[in-house]
């Protein structure tokens, strides 16, 4: 059988991806069906001779079985601790980052070896790697794994529980340092020092985070503006250490050693050691491991005099990663890395033959443009397979991604290599003077990357936020149609199918845009308080209540939708913690008009916020978008969009004190318990709640009067044309 590891690895990996979308019971059923099919297959001689088909069946059966076993034996038993306290003795596995640290259980109420992410906010604890923490913790299931969700990024990191100290602060937490630490501590220490060296460089304050992100994967140091620009431009993969980094670094190291006349076998061994060190330095993320394993297979093949097979190596890499951690398929980085690599291996040779190779055989001008065309072919080949992953993971497709990659991939490689050279030069004091010149190059190219990303992200229609469900099915159908056209009618059929697929998708987008003209979209975000986005005809407004979590949720949602500036920001209550944290909002999102309510504890903070205009609800009703009005009455905020009314209720208000006009609304948004809530009449209601507070809040709302939806798991969206109509458009399930 040709390329056996590719067959095994791809079948196993793709089956795990499918399993990650199915419920536990369905996975068990599919595994049983595949086992029966494999046994039947092996019992029939004519079928048994088809080794490839038998291998695919067995790999798929093993994948579904392993995913089910991992879920049933490891993850589900730990969920009984959700919301409960446990006494634990744990060992930290890394440095504290963003007030949290990953730990491994050594002893206590839950299974030894379980990985937990502990939040240390409000404490003075700052443990080093492999320090011991002992005490009582309150445990929670990570939100991305709540309510039986079988997918979740936390699972891909083998983190099945989050934890906080059971008491505020570190009163009940005892920290001790071990006498000796494992060798990995030196790697983690080197990783931290490398970050500190880059971040401490004078003149690089605004781009140092970008350099550390590209070189070592420290995404927490990258400003949200740069992250957003890179995402819109379709080059977010440059901010995560991936196959590009490992490949470039290994090849540069190998070429340098050969240039120094080091024997080839010794140079290959040193390059392999360098790959292992870099994998450890960047945290053994799945995408880096995929590239690292492929590089090691390639280097080993060269050392023993065998011709390496890249497709087989890719199969070995994804199989080696997922056999030990089936949940690794939940990591978007691994999916993007795999799909881009597969595109380079499978699509690039065909695209190259059809374009740049033909140009090279032409005249002088054709040969001149062959090289940039070839670079574009590489970008297109790597981009096409990643589109479904990007679509389902981020809901956003960058239109200018090919151009951005063409302009930024090579400079990003320069930043990565230069940073990796400059850091050890800086640490070695006799050569520190040389590091200054190298860091100058790092700064120069980092500023170039940030500038190009900002320029491209600011272009009209730079990216499309694909939220319409028909687009998901349309793109999948288009891919299937192109494949079918290729199989039935050859290349001509493939081109015709691709053309009509593009026409159909464009017509669908255009039709949807026409139908949605003048429609206001009201999205209540998944937080514990009323955080609302109002969108119409490309314009956006935000209503902000609650705490810091509300502010972060609003910023993240706007960045996801590629919204850089909002028409208006309404902060009705200056007593809310969100008013204090509102500076984070304006640091990341521009505000054309700031609308404030009554004064409160954080009035000075709100008054200092930058905005093009400023209005106060205390001065009376405020109009926006020509047909819409915002008004505040006794801490009740009402929005009127033509004839459609939205009433936003805070904590502890009394509905019986409202006049008859305010009591009648089309949409009621509740943040918490409200007195005499039955006095309100509505077409639909939204209960703003997180999972741990949902049960308490439900008790305070009327039943069987109008549909009430909750934000405990997802955003809740409504549509209105301003005719007194409210249409529910997906989100969390109702509580009735």
């Amino acid at each position: 059988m040709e390329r056996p590891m590719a067959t095994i690895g791809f079948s196993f990996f793709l089956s795990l991806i499918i399993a990650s979308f199915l419920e536990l019971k369905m996975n068990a059923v599919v595994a049983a069906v595949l086992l029966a099919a494999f046994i039947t297959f092996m019992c029939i001689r004519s079928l048994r001779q088809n080794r490839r088909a038998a291998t695919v069946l067995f790999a798929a059966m093993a994948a579904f079985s392993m995913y089910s076993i991992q879920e049933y034996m490891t993850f589900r038993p730990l969920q009984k601790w959700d919301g409960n306290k446990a006494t634990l003795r744990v060992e930290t596995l890394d440095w504290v980052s963003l007030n949290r640290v990953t730990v491994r259980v050594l002893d206590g109420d839950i299974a030894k070896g379980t990985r937990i992410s502990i939040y240390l906010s409000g404490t003075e604890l700052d443990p080093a790697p492999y320090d011991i923490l002992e005490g009582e913790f309150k445990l929670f299931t990570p939100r991305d794994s709540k309510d039986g969700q079988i997918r979740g990024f936390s699972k891909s990191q083998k983190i099945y529980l989050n934890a906080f100290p059971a008491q505020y602060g570190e009163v009940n937490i005892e920290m001790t340092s071990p006498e000796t630490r494992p060798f990995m501590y030196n790697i983690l220490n080197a990783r931290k020092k490398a970050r500190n060296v880059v971040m401490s460089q004078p003149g690089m304050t605004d781009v140092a985070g970008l350099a550390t992100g590209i070189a070592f994967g420290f995404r927490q140091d990258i400003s949200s503006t740069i992250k957003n620009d890179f995402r819109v431009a379709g080059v977010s993969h440059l901010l995560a250490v991936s196959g590009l980094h490992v490949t470039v670094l290994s090849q540069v190291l190998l070429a340098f050693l050969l240039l120094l006349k080091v024997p080839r076998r010794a140079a290959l061994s040193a390059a392999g050691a360098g790959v292992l060190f870099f994998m450890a330095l960047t945290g053994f993320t799945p995408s880096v491991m995929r590239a690292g394993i492929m590089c090691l297979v390639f280097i080993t093949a060269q050392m023993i005099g065998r011709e390496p097979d890249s497709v087989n190596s890719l199969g070995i890499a994804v199989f080696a990663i997922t056999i030990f951690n089936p949940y690794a398929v939940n990591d978007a980085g691994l999916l993007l890395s795999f799909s881009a690599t597969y595109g380079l291996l499978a699509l690039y040779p065909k695209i190259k033959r059809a374009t740049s190779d033909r140009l090279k055989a032409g005249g002088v001008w054709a040969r001149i443009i062959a090289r940039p065309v070839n670079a574009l072919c590489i970008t297109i080949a790597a981009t096409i397979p990643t589109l479904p992953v990007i679509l389902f993971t981020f809901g956003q497709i960058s239109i200018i991604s090919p151009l951005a990659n063409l302009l930024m991939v090579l400079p990003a490689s320069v930043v990565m290599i230069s940073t990796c050279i400059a850091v050890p030069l800086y640490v070695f004091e006799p050569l520190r003077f040389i590091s200054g010149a190298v860091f100058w190059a790092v700064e120069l190219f980092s500023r170039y990357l940030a500038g190009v990303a900002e320029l491209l992200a600011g272009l009209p229609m730079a990216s499309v936020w694909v939220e319409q469900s028909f687009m998901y099915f349309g793109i999948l159908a288009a891919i299937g149609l192109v494949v079918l056209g290729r199989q039935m009618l050859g290349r001509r059929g493939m081109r015709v199918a691709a053309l009509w697929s593009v026409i159909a998708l464009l017509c669908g987008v255009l039709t949807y845009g026409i139908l949605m003209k003048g429609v206001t979209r009201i999205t209540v975000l998944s937080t514990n308080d009323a955080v609302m986005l109002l969108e119409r005809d490309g314009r956006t407004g935000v209503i902000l209540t609650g705490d810091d979590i509300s502010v972060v949720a609003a910023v993240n949602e706007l960045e996801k939708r590629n919204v850089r500036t909002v028409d208006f920001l309404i902060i009705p209550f200056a007593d809310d913690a969100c008013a204090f944290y509102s500076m984070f909002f304006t640091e990341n999102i521009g505000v054309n008009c700031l609308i404030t309510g009554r004064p409160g504890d954080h009035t000075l903070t709100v008054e200092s916020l930058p905005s093009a205009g400023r209005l106060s609800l205390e001065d009376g009703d405020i109009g926006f978008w020509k047909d819409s009005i915002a008004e505040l009455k006794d801490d009740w905020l009402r929005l009127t969009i033509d004839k459609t009314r939205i009433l936003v209720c805070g904590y502890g208000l009394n509905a019986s004190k409202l006049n008859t006009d305010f009591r009648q609304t089309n949409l009621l948004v509740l943040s918490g318990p409200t007195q005499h809530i039955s006095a309100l009449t509505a077409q639909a209601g939204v209960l703003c709640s997180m999972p741990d507070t949902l049960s308490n809040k439900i008790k305070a709302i009327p039943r069987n009067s109008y549909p009430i939806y909750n934000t405990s798991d997802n955003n809740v969206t409504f549509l209105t044309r301003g005719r007194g109509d409210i249409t529910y458009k997906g989100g969390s399930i109702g509580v009735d």
Side-chain angles (χ1 to χ4, degrees):
M1 181 173 61
E2 185 181 1
R3 291 175 169 168
M5 287 309 302
T7 302
I8 295 172
F10 292 176
S11 301
F12 189 80
F13 184 68
L14 295 175
S15 298
L16 284 176
I17 294 175
I18 296 172
S20 70
F21 284 96
L22 302 180
E23 292 293 334
L24 176 58
K25 293 181 180 179
M26 181 58 69
N27 276 326
V29 170
V30 173
V33 171
L34 289 172
L35 176 60
F38 177 74
I39 294 173
T40 303
F41 203 88
M42 297 305 293
C43 292
I44 301 175
R45 184 175 182 180
S46 58
L47 296 177
R48 188 169 63 241
Q49 293 176 347
N50 189 337
R51 295 183 179 180
R52 185 177 296 275
T55 302
V56 170
L57 266 179
F58 182 80
M61 181 270 296
F64 280 96
S65 300
M66 287 192 63
Y67 209 101
S68 301
I69 293 171
Q70 182 83 354
E71 184 78 8
Y72 182 76
M73 299 294 293
T74 304
F75 180 74
R76 295 295 171 95
L78 291 172
Q79 303 319 294
K80 68 179 182 180
W81 292 101
D82 185 27
N84 296 318
K85 297 179 181 179
T87 301
L88 302 172
R89 182 170 177 267
V90 299
E91 177 186 51
T92 59
L93 300 178
D94 204 343
W95 297 98
V96 177
S97 176
L98 299 177
N99 289 322
R100 68 178 182 179
V101 63
T102 302
V103 303
R104 177 176 56 231
V105 175
L106 299 178
D107 193 15
D109 295 334
I110 64 176
K112 181 180 179 180
T114 302
R115 291 165 65 97
I116 300 174
S117 182
I118 295 183
Y119 290 80
L120 299 175
S121 302
T123 77
E124 296 182 358
L125 292 173
D126 187 21
Y130 305 103
D131 278 352
I132 308 298
L133 301 179
E134 189 169 3
E136 190 177 34
F137 298 89
K138 191 168 185 180
L139 304 172
F140 297 94
T141 300
R143 190 178 169 204
D144 58 6
S145 305
K146 279 283 187 183
D147 298 328
Q149 294 182 43
I150 209 161
R151 291 185 59 78
F153 175 75
S154 297
K155 289 182 175 181
S156 71
Q157 307 300 306
K158 293 186 177 181
I159 296 174
Y160 305 138
L161 288 169
N162 290 338
F164 298 88
Q167 300 178 25
Y168 183 77
E170 72 277 15
V171 178
N172 66 328
I173 304 298
E174 182 180 341
M175 184 177 76
T176 57
S177 299
E179 294 182 2
T180 59
R181 302 178 194 267
F183 176 77
M184 189 62 190
Y185 172 80
N186 299 314
I187 303 293
L188 295 173
N189 199 36
R191 174 176 165 83
K192 182 180 180 180
K193 287 183 177 179
R195 170 194 174 272
N196 292 341
V197 165
V198 180
M199 296 298 294
S200 65
Q201 295 304 306
M204 286 186 59
T205 306
D206 52 339
V207 292
L210 177 58
T212 60
I214 291 176
F216 307 117
F218 287 101
R219 291 181 63 89
Q220 67 269 24
D221 295 322
I222 307 173
S223 71
S224 58
T225 301
I226 291 179
K227 287 181 183 177
N228 182 69
D229 290 341
F230 272 64
R231 182 175 63 251
V232 174
V235 289
S236 291
H237 60 90
L238 298 179
L239 302 179
V241 181
S242 62
L244 174 67
H245 299 70
V246 178
T247 303
V248 170
L249 191 64
S250 63
Q251 292 303 309
V252 168
L253 179 59
L254 180 60
F256 177 71
L257 293 174
L258 292 176
L259 183 64
L260 296 178
K261 305 299 182 181
V262 176
R264 184 171 183 81
R265 188 178 294 271
L268 288 168
S269 300
V275 168
L276 284 172
F277 177 77
F278 188 73
M279 290 168 65
L281 192 65
T282 52
F284 288 110
T285 61
S287 58
V288 173
M289 289 182 64
R290 192 278 309 159
I293 293 173
M294 286 190 68
C295 278
L296 292 175
V297 171
F298 181 83
I299 290 172
T300 303
Q302 287 192 316
M303 290 180 65
I304 62 177
R306 299 288 297 273
E307 185 68 27
D309 187 315
S310 298
V311 177
N312 245 348
S313 300
L314 180 59
I316 293 172
V318 294
F319 181 75
I321 293 170
T322 53
I323 191 70
F324 295 106
N325 180 20
Y327 287 137
V329 294
N330 295 342
D331 182 79
L334 177 61
L335 296 179
L336 289 170
S337 178
F338 169 80
S339 55
T341 304
Y342 183 79
L344 291 174
L345 297 177
L347 298 182
Y348 170 64
K350 298 178 181 179
I351 299 175
K352 179 174 176 290
R353 284 195 297 268
T355 54
S356 60
D357 284 355
R358 291 187 178 184
L359 289 172
K360 289 178 181 178
V364 176
W365 287 107
R367 290 195 296 271
I368 291 175
I369 65 173
R371 189 177 294 275
V373 168
N374 185 60
L376 184 61
C377 291
I378 295 174
T379 299
I380 293 174
T383 300
I384 290 176
T386 63
L387 288 179
V389 180
I390 295 172
L391 182 64
F392 281 97
T393 304
F394 306 109
Q396 188 178 39
I397 294 180
S398 175
I399 305 299
I400 58 172
S401 177
L403 175 61
N405 277 276
L406 192 62
L407 295 174
M408 298 175 69
V409 167
L410 182 59
S413 300
V414 174
V415 170
M416 189 268 294
I417 295 172
S418 299
T419 305
C420 291
I421 293 174
V423 169
L425 287 176
Y426 184 88
V427 173
F428 188 59
E429 290 193 11
L431 299 178
R432 182 169 293 184
F433 69 97
I434 302 177
S435 70
V438 184
F439 272 123
W440 177 82
V442 172
E443 180 184 357
L444 178 67
F445 282 95
S446 296
R447 293 192 184 282
Y448 166 83
L449 291 171
V452 171
E454 182 180 9
L455 176 65
L456 295 179
L459 296 176
M461 292 298 292
S463 67
V464 177
W465 183 56
V466 186
E467 60 158 355
Q468 299 83 15
S469 57
F470 76 86
M471 284 295 293
Y472 292 97
F473 296 105
I475 291 176
L476 290 177
I479 294 173
L481 187 61
V482 170
V483 173
L484 184 63
R486 167 70 177 177
Q487 294 296 324
M488 297 182 63
L489 301 174
R491 293 183 178 178
R492 179 178 176 81
M494 181 178 66
R495 289 194 293 266
V496 171
L499 176 62
W500 281 107
S501 297
V502 171
I503 292 173
L505 287 172
L506 290 176
C507 289
V509 172
L510 181 61
T511 303
Y512 184 85
I514 294 173
L515 293 176
M516 291 297 292
K517 185 71 174 178
V519 174
T520 301
R521 176 189 298 273
I522 305 155
T523 303
V524 186
L525 301 189
S526 179
T527 66
N528 225 20
D529 300 279
V531 183
M532 300 170 59
L533 270 59
L534 276 66
E535 301 167 283
R536 186 204 296 177
D537 299 337
R539 295 175 295 178
T540 304
V542 177
I543 298 163
L544 199 58
T545 69
D547 54 16
D548 57 327
I549 297 176
S550 300
V551 179
V552 172
V555 171
N556 289 342
E557 190 68 23
L558 290 170
E559 289 182 342
K560 172 185 174 183
R561 302 183 184 206
N562 191 26
V563 176
R564 303 298 303 277
T565 304
V566 295
D567 280 9
F568 60 86
L569 169 63
I570 300 178
I571 304 179
F573 315 120
D575 285 330
D576 281 356
C578 72
F580 179 76
Y581 291 101
S582 55
M583 289 182 292
F584 177 77
F585 186 98
T586 54
E587 285 175 358
N588 296 279
I589 306 295
V591 178
N592 288 333
C593 183
L594 176 64
I595 301 176
T596 59
R598 59 170 172 76
D601 296 339
H602 310 303
T603 297
L604 293 178
T605 301
V606 175
E607 289 178 349
S608 67
L609 297 178
S611 64
R614 192 179 301 268
L615 296 169
S616 175
L617 290 167
E618 283 205 309
D619 298 332
D621 303 346
I622 294 175
F624 60 94
W625 291 350
K626 294 183 180 180
D627 60 350
S628 304
I629 296 173
E631 50 190 320
L632 190 64
K633 183 179 179 63
D634 297 330
D635 286 347
W636 294 78
L637 176 66
R638 185 170 75 172
L639 306 173
T640 305
I641 302 173
D642 200 357
K643 297 179 181 179
T644 301
R645 297 177 175 183
I646 306 166
L647 188 62
V648 182
C649 171
Y651 284 93
L653 300 181
N654 190 340
S656 64
K657 293 183 179 181
L658 289 173
N659 59 37
T660 304
D661 181 50
F662 257 72
R663 291 183 187 182
Q664 297 179 352
T665 186
N666 300 105
L667 178 63
L668 177 63
V669 181
L670 299 168
S671 292
T674 302
Q675 299 178 44
H676 304 291
I677 193 172
S678 57
L680 302 176
T681 302
Q683 290 177 251
V686 180
L687 180 62
C688 302
S689 174
M690 299 303 286
D692 52 342
T693 62
L694 178 60
S695 58
N696 292 331
K697 289 188 176 183
I698 288 176
K699 299 175 184 177
I701 62 176
R703 293 301 188 99
N704 303 320
S705 51
Y706 44 84
I708 297 179
Y709 305 90
N710 72 81
T711 63
S712 62
D713 295 316
N714 300 292
N715 299 339
V716 177
T717 301
F718 295 88
L719 305 177
T720 179
R721 291 188 177 275
R723 302 169 184 167
D725 58 315
I726 282 291
T727 303
Y728 172 63
K729 188 183 184 300
S732 192
I733 61 173
V735 300
D736 285 341

